[in-house]
Amino acid sequence: MAQAIARISALGQSEHMFAALLVSLAVQAASATVPPSPSDPIEADWRTIPDDELLVMTLSGNRTVVIRLATPYAPEHVANVRRLALAHWWDGTSVYRVQDNWVTQWGDETEKKPLPMGIAARPAAEYDIAAGFRAAQRMTVSDAYSGVSGITADGWAVAGSKPGVGPVADASPGWLAHCYGTVGVARDASPDTGTGSELFMPIGGSARRLDRNYTIVGRVIEGASLLSGLPRSDAPMGMYATAAERLPITSVRLASDMPAAGRPRYQYRAADNPRFAALIATRENPKPPTIGLGGADVCDVPIATRRAP
Amino acid sequence: MAQAIARISALGQSEHMFAALLVSLAVQAASATVPPSPSDPIEADWRTIPDDELLVMTLSGNRTVVIRLATPYAPEHVANVRRLALAHWWDGTSVYRVQDNWVTQWGDETEKKPLPMGIAARPAAEYDIAAGFRAAQRMTVSDAYSGVSGITADGWAVAGSKPGVGPVADASPGWLAHCYGTVGVARDASPDTGTGSELFMPIGGSARRLDRNYTIVGRVIEGASLLSGLPRSDAPMGMYATAAERLPITSVRLASDMPAAGRPRYQYRAADNPRFAALIATRENPKPPTIGLGGADVCDVPIATRRAP
């Protein structure tokens, strides 16, 4: 069995570097047993996520998915999401689409449920985020896939240059990358037709093709596997064909709308420090015999979050 | 509902371009209703996959996963896989690991099952495949993520240059890319310790970090969702903690070892033709208002397969 574990570790260790929760756990575990590494966070690196940036989605069976909202990067859409949550609009809706190697999508599959007052029906597309991508606000990632990308100080993966466009400069736009676990706004063909009522999470291989084409409003920081581990639908677009397949959504709440005593509290690992730079370096230059990609994948740099101690 | 479908289509259409089975179905459907596009295959583009390149894994519940073996790219490991299948070695083993956003892994989780005679215990690592990557054998993909990559004429996604390494030349090595659905050889830390008895399939976001570090022996061409849609394990490395969680493998057979009358027969869409070049072009330059990546993702170019008509 030792060999089996070792064999699995050889493949699985990389996952430690990816999954935020696993990372924080691994770091804690490591701290208890071995000297801290230069890439381990110090206590000051953990910053509180504001209550109004935490969206708590409770699924049938009392399983909870926690989403961090990307407030500075998609303000109009995030405002809609907050209004929908404050109106308890998602209560009784469902996870209605699971398309293999693409997305899990939730909301009101009937499209008939009226939206609450105050919802911007056609918020402007919020794709590029130049203001959120100034060098002072991010750690650079030598992205093996897209040239130069970054992790913002407040913990978001931002794609930068594309081949032929050149590296990201302060004045150039960046945009949130469609990584596993990011929460995007489903929409019609027209870019400004998504309100935020229908949301999706990439669950498969690269969804980077959606970059700059769909608005990202957040990322799942706990419970992503509850959305990625669902049975796939063979129906067109992965829509669940029957009500029995759909996973009921019990409630969606902003933490700031929950009783103070019962609110979940989370922290993210800030990227504005040399520990995070060392973490990126471990991705960009893995230890032999592992062969590196010539950089990292901006979606494969672990941005840890944890429940507040 | 129309709006819902449309909205979903806006996001979901891209998946049609990815999933091999969906692609062939979509192409057939399109052919029946609209004039063929320059990227539609002609009948001559469909080539037979040899029976000894088809691995049929039957899971509990009589669900079938079909794997195409990468014969020319990992000959020693593929030879082991064939010997294991001919010895019916996997019968009664299980899918024992499902790590969220990383891999599903199967084989003998006990590590105690003796291997058949004739298995190479330590086949050489088979990562780079220069011989398989000559320009004459592939369509170039302007890879938005890794510079220049390719699709081989016989239907495999091959990664090429890395930043700082420059574009792929005939003499430079290429390597099979760890895309969703590729089948890799699990191993210990030492590169030459995987026999092929323990196999894994990437099920989540990018696993390209495994490129050149793990040997790819094939790719799933049907039933991938049976492996990706399984419940995730929270145990270390995603190992299922109990026997009840593990998914029994009823049998694994080479099609060439099955009665001729009952053999599954598959075809792949060859890439050595202008139709496939047009298909790649649709990925590299999507129609407005969709914003392109400045290339394609070599793992996001659909390499279609279909059951033989």
Side-chain angles (χ1 to χ4, degrees):
Chain A
M1 195 59 187
Q3 188 185 1
I5 295 298
R7 170 174 298 171
I8 287 151
S9 300
L11 176 58
Q13 64 188 1
S14 28
E15 174 58 6
H16 271 301
M17 298 297 291
F18 184 109
L21 187 57
L22 282 182
V23 168
S24 62
L25 290 173
V27 169
Q28 291 162 25
S31 310
T33 54
V34 299
S37 93
S39 62
D40 291 340
I42 62 174
E43 200 52 33
D45 295 340
W46 293 103
R47 315 281 167 80
T48 299
I49 299 176
D51 290 353
D52 68 353
E53 266 187 22
L54 288 174
L55 199 64
V56 180
M57 176 163 69
T58 305
L59 303 171
S60 171
N62 201 30
R63 293 162 296 181
T64 302
V65 175
V66 180
I67 296 165
R68 182 188 179 188
L69 297 175
T71 309
Y73 305 104
E76 288 191 41
H77 288 81
V78 168
N80 269 3
V81 167
R82 288 201 176 98
R83 291 189 188 97
L84 288 159
L86 290 170
H88 301 181
W89 185 85
W90 279 291
D91 298 12
T93 62
S94 69
V95 177
Y96 58 77
R97 178 192 187 197
V98 183
Q99 184 163 11
D100 189 47
N101 191 31
W102 192 235
V103 298
T104 290
Q105 189 164 313
W106 62 93
D108 171 40
E109 90 290 348
T110 70
E111 279 294 308
K112 291 180 163 54
K113 185 170 185 174
L115 296 176
M117 296 290 292
I119 295 293
R122 300 178 81 85
E126 297 175 302
Y127 303 152
D128 292 342
I129 51 171
F133 197 57
R134 294 195 301 277
Q137 295 179 273
R138 58 141 170 83
M139 298 291 299
T140 295
V141 177
S142 298
D143 195 326
Y145 297 146
S146 61
V148 176
S149 297
I151 306 297
T152 62
D154 56 349
W156 294 90
V158 177
S161 65
K162 297 179 298 180
V165 176
V168 170
D170 286 9
S172 71
W175 52 91
L176 293 190
H178 281 81
C179 303
Y180 169 89
T182 52
V183 176
V185 175
R187 59 167 173 82
D188 288 329
S190 175
D192 64 350
T193 48
T195 62
S197 63
E198 311 305 306
L199 299 171
F200 67 86
M201 181 185 98
I203 60 172
S206 179
R208 295 292 301 279
R209 184 158 27 89
L210 301 176
D211 285 9
R212 314 184 78 184
N213 289 298
Y214 285 80
T215 297
I216 290 173
V217 290
R219 70 182 182 104
V220 176
I221 60 173
E222 189 171 303
S225 65
L226 298 175
L227 299 173
S228 61
L230 295 171
R232 278 51 177 160
S233 169
D234 293 330
M237 307 304 166
M239 289 281 285
Y240 280 143
T242 65
E245 292 172 276
R246 292 193 281 269
L247 179 62
I249 295 172
T250 307
S251 67
V252 176
R253 297 286 182 274
L254 276 171
S256 54
D257 189 36
M258 299 169 70
R263 292 179 191 177
R265 302 187 186 280
Y266 286 82
Q267 300 171 324
Y268 66 91
R269 178 180 175 176
D272 58 355
N273 56 76
R275 277 82 56 194
F276 204 94
L279 177 63
I280 292 172
T282 63
R283 260 295 187 271
E284 294 175 336
N285 304 293
K287 291 179 183 173
T290 300
I291 297 172
L293 292 167
D297 171 356
V298 72
C299 284
D300 201 8
V301 174
I303 304 174
T305 58
R306 70 178 189 185
R307 296 188 184 203
Chain B
M1 195 59 184
Q3 189 187 1
I5 296 298
R7 170 175 298 172
I8 287 150
S9 300
L11 176 59
Q13 63 187 0
S14 30
E15 175 57 5
H16 270 300
M17 297 297 290
F18 184 110
L21 186 57
L22 282 181
V23 168
S24 62
L25 291 173
V27 168
Q28 291 162 24
S31 311
T33 54
V34 299
S37 92
S39 63
D40 290 340
I42 62 174
E43 199 53 32
D45 295 340
W46 294 102
R47 315 282 168 81
T48 298
I49 300 176
D51 290 352
D52 68 354
E53 267 188 20
L54 287 174
L55 199 65
V56 181
M57 176 163 69
T58 305
L59 303 171
S60 171
N62 201 30
R63 294 162 295 182
T64 302
V65 175
V66 181
I67 296 165
R68 181 188 180 189
L69 296 175
T71 308
Y73 305 105
E76 287 191 42
H77 289 80
V78 168
N80 270 3
V81 167
R82 287 201 176 99
R83 291 189 189 97
L84 288 159
L86 289 171
H88 300 180
W89 185 84
W90 279 292
D91 299 12
T93 62
S94 69
V95 178
Y96 58 77
R97 178 192 185 196
V98 184
Q99 183 162 12
D100 190 46
N101 190 31
W102 192 234
V103 298
T104 290
Q105 189 164 313
W106 62 94
D108 170 40
E109 90 289 347
T110 70
E111 280 293 308
K112 291 182 165 50
K113 186 169 185 173
L115 296 176
M117 297 290 293
I119 295 293
R122 300 178 80 85
E126 296 175 302
Y127 305 151
D128 292 342
I129 51 171
F133 196 56
R134 294 195 301 276
Q137 296 179 274
R138 57 139 170 83
M139 298 291 300
T140 296
V141 176
S142 298
D143 195 325
Y145 296 147
S146 61
V148 176
S149 297
I151 306 297
T152 62
D154 57 348
W156 294 90
V158 177
S161 65
K162 296 180 298 179
V165 176
V168 169
D170 286 7
S172 72
W175 52 90
L176 292 190
H178 281 80
C179 302
Y180 169 88
T182 52
V183 176
V185 175
R187 59 166 172 82
D188 290 327
S190 175
D192 64 351
T193 48
T195 62
S197 63
E198 311 306 306
L199 298 171
F200 67 86
M201 182 185 98
I203 60 172
S206 177
R208 296 291 301 278
R209 184 157 29 90
L210 301 176
D211 284 9
R212 313 184 78 183
N213 289 297
Y214 285 81
T215 297
I216 290 172
V217 290
R219 70 182 182 105
V220 176
I221 61 173
E222 189 171 305
S225 65
L226 298 175
L227 299 173
S228 61
L230 295 171
R232 279 48 177 161
S233 168
D234 294 330
M237 306 303 166
M239 289 282 284
Y240 280 143
T242 65
E245 292 173 275
R246 292 193 283 269
L247 179 62
I249 295 173
T250 308
S251 67
V252 176
R253 297 286 183 274
L254 275 172
S256 54
D257 189 35
M258 300 168 69
R263 292 179 190 177
R265 301 188 186 281
Y266 286 83
Q267 300 171 324
Y268 67 90
R269 179 180 175 177
D272 58 355
N273 56 76
R275 277 81 58 193
F276 204 94
L279 176 64
I280 293 172
T282 62
R283 260 294 189 271
E284 293 174 336
N285 303 294
K287 290 180 184 173
T290 301
I291 299 171
L293 292 167
D297 170 358
V298 72
C299 284
D300 200 10
V301 173
I303 304 174
T305 59
R306 69 178 189 185
R307 297 189 184 201

